[in-house]
């Protein structure tokens, strides 16, 4: 199936070129809302046994945004944590790139809302819409931007989602998977031995209907009909999504290692998008890489979309899995279809007060 994914050769060639200067992660932060939706809550909502939810997904709990919280609020909280991690003020940020599938509104860019909340008056703010691949797409934008504009010394790349506003809680294909949360990274120039190796990105729009929110745009604007039909909720072909993940996973690893010129034995941790723990572990098991290198967060937060990879990166930091110079494998895939991969050499960013930002720490329960 590899040839099926060999698209966008020109863009892929550009993505493989060496980046100078080196850009790496110098700060990291996360935010999850306090309310928790458990697998028992989920089972009750979809009228299925509790064990069915766990055996199909492996997700024990997810966080749920409060009534007054939007995607930008979660994103700003995560960005503030990342700035504290990097020891920077908001005024020192020259670029904010936000990846999300659940923006505050169609216009303006949710990144502009985040800029205002942070008071990052010197930053250019923009959104990227690559679904669950958005954070890595955003890193590529920031990487290229910083390489071409020396005035931008630091960028914040965020993945933030409030999926709970876009779920039909009786839909077994989607309501059991997605959670609310955000994670942010500060990108800065780092020594040449650190940072991101060339990032490979690709898309296949012929399969855009595998996962989508059909209404609310110019093709199907909001109407009483779209509301009655549930067209503003996430729709997903679960079987097609599973096939895609299993097919693309080994190719992503091969491309990342090849682009970076790194052997798999040199990889300290594998940080991938987290569709759900069951699917993730099955896809990873087929690669032959050691099981203990895979970072799994989906059991505690569910599918965070654009926030999954940076959140998993933060989890690796909390677990003290990373040291300066360690190499991580980053694997992204999502609706669009979109996918991408890269090797990141760690620069030593730490998470300030992880308990404050509730990485995997249950708070209170809510029902669906």
């Amino acid at each position: 199936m590899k040839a099926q994914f060999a698209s966008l050769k020109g863009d892929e060639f550009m993505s493989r070129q060496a980046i100078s200067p080196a850009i790496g992660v110098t700060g990291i932060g996360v935010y999850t809302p306090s309310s928790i939706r458990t697998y028992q809550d989920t089972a009750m909502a979809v009228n299925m046994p509790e064990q069915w939810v766990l055996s199909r997904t492996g997700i024990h709990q997810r966080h749920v945004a409060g009534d007054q919280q939007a995607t930008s609020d979660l994103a700003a909280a995560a960005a503030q944590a990342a700035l504290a991690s990097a020891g920077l003020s908001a005024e020192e940020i020259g670029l904010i790139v936000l990846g999300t599938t659940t923006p505050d509104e169609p216009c303006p860019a949710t990144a502009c809302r985040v800029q205002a909340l942070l008071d990052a008056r010197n930053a250019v703010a923009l959104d990227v819409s690559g679904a669950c691949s958005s954070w890595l797409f955003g890193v590529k934008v920031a990487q290229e931007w910083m390489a071409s504009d020396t005035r931008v010394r630091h960028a914040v790349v965020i993945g933030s989602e409030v999926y709970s506003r876009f779920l039909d809680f009786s839909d077994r294909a989607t309501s059991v998977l997605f959670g609310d949360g955000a994670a942010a990274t500060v990108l800065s120039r780092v020594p040449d031995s650190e940072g991101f190796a060339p990032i490979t990105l690709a898309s296949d729009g012929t399969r855009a209907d595998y996962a989508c929110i059909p209404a609310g745009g110019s093709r199907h604007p909001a109407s009483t009909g779209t509301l009655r039909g549930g067209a503003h909720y996430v729709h997903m072909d679960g079987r097609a999504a599973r096939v895609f993940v299993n097919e693309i996973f080994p190719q992503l690893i091969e491309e990342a290692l090849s682009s970076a010129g790194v052997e798999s034995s040199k990889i300290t941790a594998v940080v991938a998008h987290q569709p759900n723990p069951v699917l993730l572990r099955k896809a990873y098991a087929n690669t032959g890489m050691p099981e203990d290198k895979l970072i799994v967060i989906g059991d505690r937060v569910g599918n965070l979309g654009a926030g999954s990879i940076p959140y998993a990166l933060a989890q690796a930091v909390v677990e003290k899995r990373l040291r300066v110079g360690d190499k991580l494998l980053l694997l992204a895939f999502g609706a669009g279809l979109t996918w991408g991969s890269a090797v990141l050499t760690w620069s030593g960013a730490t998470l300030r007060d992880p308990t404050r930002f509730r990485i995997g720490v249950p708070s209170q329960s809510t029902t669906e």
Side-chain angles (χ1 to χ4, degrees):
M1 299 299 296
K2 183 176 179 180
Q4 182 177 356
F5 299 112
S7 58
L8 300 180
K9 287 295 186 182
D11 290 343
E12 184 177 342
F13 175 80
M14 292 301 294
S15 295
R16 291 176 183 270
Q17 304 311 297
I19 299 298
S20 181
I23 305 297
V25 174
T26 57
I28 191 162
V30 303
Y31 176 80
T32 49
S34 60
S35 292
I36 296 291
R37 178 171 287 129
T38 68
Y39 73 93
Q40 294 98 332
D41 299 328
T42 300
M44 185 179 299
V46 298
N47 195 29
M48 293 296 289
E50 294 174 0
Q51 191 57 39
W52 180 90
V53 175
L54 287 180
S55 64
R56 292 293 187 100
T57 71
I59 298 171
H60 290 255
Q61 66 175 45
R62 292 167 289 162
H63 294 263
V64 182
D67 291 343
Q68 302 304 313
Q69 288 184 308
T71 293
S72 62
D73 298 310
L74 276 58
Q80 287 171 338
L83 289 172
S85 168
L88 297 174
S89 68
E91 290 186 355
E92 294 178 90
I93 299 302
L95 177 67
I96 298 172
V97 184
L98 173 67
T100 187
T101 312
T102 60
D104 286 14
E105 60 256 314
C107 178
T110 301
C112 291
R113 300 291 191 191
V114 175
Q115 179 199 29
L117 290 169
L118 295 176
D119 194 24
R121 61 193 69 181
N122 297 316
V124 176
L126 58 96
D127 289 357
V128 294
S129 184
C132 299
S133 304
S134 291
W135 178 80
L136 191 59
F137 276 54
V139 168
K140 179 64 174 175
V141 170
Q143 183 188 52
E144 299 280 3
W145 194 308
M146 295 175 71
S148 64
D149 188 348
T150 58
R151 295 171 299 176
V152 178
R153 299 178 56 209
H154 309 283
V156 174
V157 182
I158 313 165
S160 182
E161 307 285 7
V162 180
Y163 277 120
S164 58
R165 309 280 161 74
F166 297 89
L167 295 178
D168 174 358
F169 291 117
S170 65
D171 179 11
R172 297 171 185 171
T174 58
S175 68
V176 300
L177 300 176
F178 297 95
D180 299 345
T185 48
V186 174
L187 305 189
S188 311
R189 291 172 179 82
V190 295
D192 289 344
S193 59
E194 301 171 8
F196 292 92
I199 298 171
T200 299
L201 304 174
S203 309
D204 180 3
T206 66
R207 292 181 285 175
D209 290 335
Y210 281 14
C212 64
I213 300 175
S218 61
R219 185 168 300 280
H220 300 292
S223 67
T224 54
T226 60
L227 290 173
R228 281 197 304 267
H232 297 269
Y233 295 133
V234 175
H235 289 237
M236 186 172 68
D237 183 336
R239 181 182 181 280
R242 287 192 297 274
V243 170
F244 166 63
V245 171
N246 281 298
E247 289 175 349
I248 199 65
F249 214 90
Q251 181 179 330
L252 290 175
I253 293 176
E254 179 183 341
E255 289 185 343
L257 295 176
S258 175
S259 295
V262 173
E263 297 179 358
S264 61
S265 60
K266 301 298 184 183
I267 297 297
T268 299
V270 178
V271 179
H273 170 55
Q274 314 263 324
N276 69 70
V278 171
L279 177 55
L280 177 64
R281 288 190 172 103
K282 285 182 178 179
Y284 182 76
N286 294 330
T287 68
M289 295 187 69
E291 181 180 354
D292 61 357
K293 291 188 177 183
L294 180 66
I295 306 298
V296 179
I297 60 164
D299 53 343
R300 298 182 296 280
V301 295
N303 184 337
L304 291 182
S308 284
I309 293 178
Y311 196 102
L313 193 58
Q315 187 67 45
V317 172
V318 170
E319 294 175 358
K320 302 186 185 304
R321 302 273 292 268
L322 305 177
R323 297 177 298 178
V324 175
D326 282 349
K327 297 187 183 302
L328 300 86
L329 197 54
L330 305 175
L331 310 175
F333 43 90
L337 295 173
T338 59
W339 62 93
S341 60
V343 170
L344 169 64
T345 302
W346 194 241
S347 298
T350 59
L351 194 74
R352 296 289 183 92
D353 189 11
T355 57
R356 177 185 173 192
F357 298 101
R358 292 187 291 274
I359 285 199
V361 178
S363 177
Q364 65 189 79
S365 179
T366 186
T367 57
E368 292 177 278

